[in-house]
Amino acid sequence: MTTEDEARRVAEAARQREWRGPSFARELFLGRLRLGLLHPRPLPDEAATRTGERFLARLREFCASKIDGAQIERDARIPDDVIAGLRELGAFGMKIGEAHGGLGLSHLFYNRALALVGSASPAVGALLSAHQSIGVPQPLKLFGTEEQKNAYLPRCARGAISAFLLTEPDVGSDPARLATSAVPDEDGEAYVLDGVKLWTTNGVVAELLVVMAQVPDRGITAFVVEADSPGITVENRNAFMGLRGIENGVTRFHQVRVPAANRIGEEGEGLRIALTTLNTGRLSLPAMCVGAGKWCLKTGREWAGAREQWGRPIGKHEAIGSRLAFIAATTFALEAILDITSELADEDRPEHRHDIRIEAALAKLYASEMAWRMADDLVQMRGGRGYETADSLAARGERGVPAEQLLRDLRINRIFEGSSEIMRLFIAREAVDAHLKVAGDLVSRDASFTQKRRAAFSATAFYARWLPSLAAGRGQLPLAYGDFHIPGGHPDLAHHLRWAERASRRLARSTFYGMSRWQGRLEAKQAFLGRVVDIGAELFAMTAACVHAERLRRRGESGREAYELADAFCEQARQRVADLFHHLWHNTDGPDHTLSRAVLEGRHAWLESGIIDASTPGPWIADATPGPSKRADVHRSIP
């Protein structure tokens, strides 16, 4: 089996296939805009809302009075008193149930809390998120035994910081190459861990670790590991262009003995546990992107109104006004996506539980890309002051606005927990899953002629029923989506939803044409699949924005203004979708692929002459073997 085939086999084996409810996004990619899955939204639980609002009020006061984001940026560390204060608030137990000493917040209020904290300091937001969204609490909540939950969740709720260790120096998005080993001892009472983990957010200060390791002949397995176990060494605290306060390092395991009772789930289930944890854990990144968008909007509005050029505020010049409109409309849409997806995650009743894998992945992908664009627009709006640091601005008597810091801090979100490229491939694989199941051996590279012929008959029967539904449907009826056509001066959102419904059918047809054209080679057409995903993301965002606006109107919360924001966002999104549809079939993918191969072969190395490479000597990827300068323990104790 080739390396690529092995990677695909490992990834496929880890996919969670059994869900109790439908997925709006999956249906959208199949050409069915099932608005009823999102609208009308049930009201959040009143008790949960009261609990969440009370905690947010306390957290807001703490963030305003105790968190100095500028100090964290200067010192590149979160002060111990901030950690202690967050412990007193119960912030380390936001997602942990009350039965285990936590606050038991819903996903909705947990993510609102992260947006709030992240606006005060993205580094503090990352600390809390890594601890609860992907650290020990979440996988134990989903897969842990009662004994494990009783042993570790109260500790985490009290502030025992946790970290998630999957990535290795030579392993990123290809888990089949995972090298860290967990070898059972002879009596089966423990495992012995050996290996190196890279980019361990919270790993430098963590008390508890979730570690993914290969059990020989059984596969990737998850463990809870005490960070002070003999044989664990933090070899480096990494530094980055942004998030300068995060405690992210390199952790080595040398003959680390872990009790068998600390294994999470069964042997070989580690990757499935990791991916399932990320289904809702990914929502922490859109949460902080929403907070960033709100700050961009506030700062941009105030600056564009105060700064004058050519006799009037710059916000009244179209070049700046268009950027401000983009920030406002996009922030509204991102909050709509976050709230709706969080509420879907909160619906725990079996009859209402939704498959939100694609929704969460779309939220992460879309929010991280759009938040980066909003921050870039804010820097551009502020000109030289956008590029200047907050400390420098304050030193010469101006308001210290950390716009350039936000740009640096947000950049990691397009890489964290699955890069944008990997997220597009993940979503595409889920989006075309129905086609692959139907086509079966028809698109398989290894199927025989007889198998392909049999699969062709099966696929023909399916598409004979499915394709006609993509040419006509309820979305074309003139009275469809009437809830969103409100008299009294509100913009008409119904026509945006009808447009999105037709676009979803067009997207499904385009995916089918791609399948017909490339068959088994479709999965290699990553640029095509990426555009398919980006179209789906825009349609999901349009729908969420309309649903959110109508919900705010029904609550009497700035309904007309919400409709205006949703209308503006949909108009902007429709332009982006039109461009993406055009580039599905009219692009430079072929020439680009040819040129990239030539570049890799060194045929254009002559173009690199005339520069000095400022990189230091060394290998592209560090050797996992400890060197003479390593093995230094750099743990920072936090009381």
Side-chain angles (χ1 to χ4, degrees):
M1 182 178 291
T2 67
T3 301
E4 183 178 355
D5 287 339
E6 174 63 13
R8 186 181 298 108
R9 185 194 64 77
V10 171
E12 284 296 304
R15 292 177 69 213
Q16 186 168 346
R17 301 174 186 274
E18 297 300 325
W19 292 85
R20 300 180 183 179
S23 161
F24 173 84
R26 179 188 289 276
E27 293 290 297
L28 184 149
F29 280 106
L30 289 173
R32 298 188 285 260
L33 192 92
R34 294 183 59 184
L35 188 62
L37 295 176
L38 303 183
H39 171 77
R41 300 290 309 132
L43 293 176
D45 180 78
E46 291 185 6
T49 298
R50 288 194 296 269
T51 299
E53 292 290 0
R54 285 196 298 267
F55 175 73
L56 286 182
R58 300 199 309 273
L59 183 63
R60 186 176 293 107
E61 169 61 26
F62 178 83
C63 290
S65 60
K66 301 298 184 182
I67 296 180
D68 186 342
Q71 179 190 349
I72 293 172
E73 173 72 3
R74 286 191 296 270
D75 297 344
R77 67 184 297 268
I78 300 170
D80 293 348
D81 64 330
V82 171
I83 303 293
L86 291 170
R87 283 178 172 144
E88 291 180 10
L89 277 174
F92 286 95
M94 288 187 286
K95 288 190 72 176
I96 297 173
E98 293 179 317
H100 292 103
L103 299 179
L105 294 187
S106 65
H107 285 93
L108 180 66
F109 281 97
Y110 169 69
N111 287 321
R112 288 181 179 176
L114 289 181
L116 175 61
V117 173
S119 67
S121 168
V124 177
L127 169 76
L128 294 176
S129 170
H131 165 70
Q132 292 170 90
S133 295
I134 57 175
V136 169
Q138 188 67 8
L140 282 193
K141 176 183 176 181
L142 296 173
F143 298 97
T145 64
E146 286 303 313
E147 291 77 11
Q148 290 171 337
K149 293 175 183 178
N150 293 331
Y152 295 113
L153 292 184
R155 286 175 59 185
C156 291
R158 291 192 298 268
I161 298 172
S162 68
F164 175 79
L165 280 61
L166 171 63
T167 303
E168 299 179 359
D170 199 29
V171 178
S173 301
D174 183 2
R177 300 172 61 195
L178 199 73
T180 297
S181 62
V183 179
D185 63 9
E186 292 184 357
D187 58 12
E189 295 296 319
Y191 295 82
V192 178
L193 270 61
D194 284 281
V196 178
K197 295 296 183 178
L198 176 63
W199 297 325
T200 59
T201 301
N202 290 356
V204 178
V205 296
E207 185 176 322
L208 294 169
L209 312 172
V210 175
V211 181
M212 298 293 166
Q214 289 274 15
V215 175
D217 301 321
R218 301 306 298 268
I220 300 171
T221 304
F223 300 89
V224 177
V225 181
E226 298 279 356
D228 61 356
S229 300
I232 297 181
T233 307
V234 177
E235 295 184 339
N236 191 61
R237 182 182 183 236
N238 304 322
F240 304 98
M241 68 182 286
L243 293 182
R244 291 181 175 171
I246 64 171
E247 300 286 350
N248 180 296
V250 177
T251 302
R252 180 177 298 276
F253 298 87
H254 177 67
Q255 295 289 290
V256 178
R257 184 178 173 84
V258 179
N262 285 29
R263 188 188 69 222
I264 307 175
E266 299 299 322
E267 292 180 343
E269 290 188 337
L271 189 56
R272 184 174 71 87
I273 290 171
L275 295 179
T276 304
T277 298
L278 285 172
N279 285 331
T280 54
R282 283 196 178 99
L283 294 178
S284 64
L285 294 183
M288 287 185 279
C289 289
V290 167
K294 288 175 178 287
W295 186 83
C296 286
L297 179 59
K298 179 180 183 295
T299 304
R301 174 181 57 81
E302 293 174 350
W303 170 251
R307 173 65 165 167
E308 291 192 2
Q309 292 283 275
W310 301 297
R312 55 178 176 166
I314 60 172
K316 293 186 177 180
H317 293 286
E318 196 171 89
I320 299 300
S322 62
R323 294 183 187 274
L324 193 60
F326 167 73
I327 292 173
T330 304
T331 297
F332 179 82
L334 294 191
E335 186 168 50
I337 292 171
L338 180 66
D339 280 9
I340 287 174
T341 310
S342 297
E343 289 175 359
L344 290 174
D346 282 327
E347 293 180 1
D348 281 336
R349 289 176 297 172
E351 68 272 19
H352 289 118
R353 184 170 296 166
H354 294 266
D355 175 357
I356 65 163
R357 284 175 296 179
I358 305 180
E359 284 85 349
L362 284 172
K364 188 272 179 188
L365 169 67
Y366 194 74
S368 60
E369 291 290 337
M370 299 304 266
W372 165 260
R373 286 183 56 182
M374 288 191 287
D376 187 60
D377 273 3
L378 178 63
V379 168
Q380 191 68 24
M381 287 169 61
R382 285 183 50 79
R385 288 174 173 83
Y387 192 67
E388 191 172 358
T389 68
D391 280 350
S392 179
L393 288 164
R396 57 185 185 78
E398 293 191 6
R399 183 175 180 176
V401 178
E404 60 82 29
Q405 180 191 334
L406 181 69
L407 195 64
R408 290 187 285 103
D409 288 340
L410 283 175
R411 186 61 183 85
I412 188 57
N413 291 339
R414 298 168 66 195
I415 301 171
F416 258 165
E417 297 180 16
S419 69
S420 292
E421 291 75 20
I422 293 300
M423 294 310 300
R424 287 187 177 97
L425 294 179
F426 166 78
I427 297 166
R429 180 61 183 81
E430 294 293 334
V432 303
D433 186 55
H435 297 279
L436 294 176
K437 286 180 178 177
V438 170
D441 290 332
L442 189 62
V443 298
S444 172
R445 291 175 294 182
D446 303 321
S448 66
F449 174 79
T450 301
Q451 290 172 318
K452 285 182 177 291
R453 184 178 179 182
R454 190 182 303 118
F457 282 118
S458 175
T460 299
F462 171 80
Y463 288 120
R465 296 189 304 271
W466 180 70
L467 282 173
S469 70
L470 302 182
R474 178 171 173 77
Q476 291 183 325
L477 298 177
L479 298 181
Y481 312 117
D483 287 354
F484 299 86
H485 182 76
I486 308 299
H490 288 70
D492 179 18
L493 299 184
H495 82 285
H496 290 308
L497 289 171
R498 284 194 291 270
W499 187 92
E501 196 274 342
R502 291 192 294 270
S504 73
R505 280 186 269 143
R506 181 183 176 188
L507 178 62
R509 292 195 303 269
S510 298
T511 305
F512 169 73
Y513 298 152
M515 176 75 74
S516 301
R517 179 175 177 179
W518 293 301
Q519 297 187 25
R521 293 180 292 122
L522 177 63
E523 62 184 356
K525 298 296 180 179
Q526 296 177 0
F528 174 86
L529 292 173
R531 295 183 192 104
V532 166
V533 169
D534 287 344
I535 292 170
E538 294 284 3
L539 298 180
F540 177 44
M542 288 176 63
T543 308
C546 293
V547 168
H548 192 52
E550 172 58 11
R551 190 179 196 187
L552 292 176
R553 186 195 69 82
R554 292 189 181 193
R555 288 181 178 177
E557 300 176 13
S558 305
R560 182 166 181 174
E561 291 80 6
Y563 260 60
E564 289 173 352
L565 287 165
D567 178 57
F569 175 78
C570 288
E571 292 288 356
Q572 295 170 11
R574 286 170 67 162
Q575 292 296 316
R576 293 190 292 266
V577 170
D579 288 342
L580 287 164
F581 268 125
H582 174 78
H583 289 111
L584 276 179
W585 310 109
H586 303 87
N587 51 63
T588 61
D589 294 350
D592 290 347
H593 180 70
T594 300
L595 177 58
S596 68
R597 288 295 182 92
V599 170
L600 287 173
E601 292 167 3
R603 289 166 50 196
H604 299 292
W606 55 269
L607 190 58
E608 302 162 10
S609 64
I611 63 166
I612 299 296
D613 186 350
S615 305
T616 62
W620 286 106
I621 297 173
D623 187 350
T625 304
S629 63
K630 299 182 180 179
R631 311 288 298 179
D633 195 328
V634 295
H635 274 275
R636 176 164 72 88
S637 175
I638 294 180

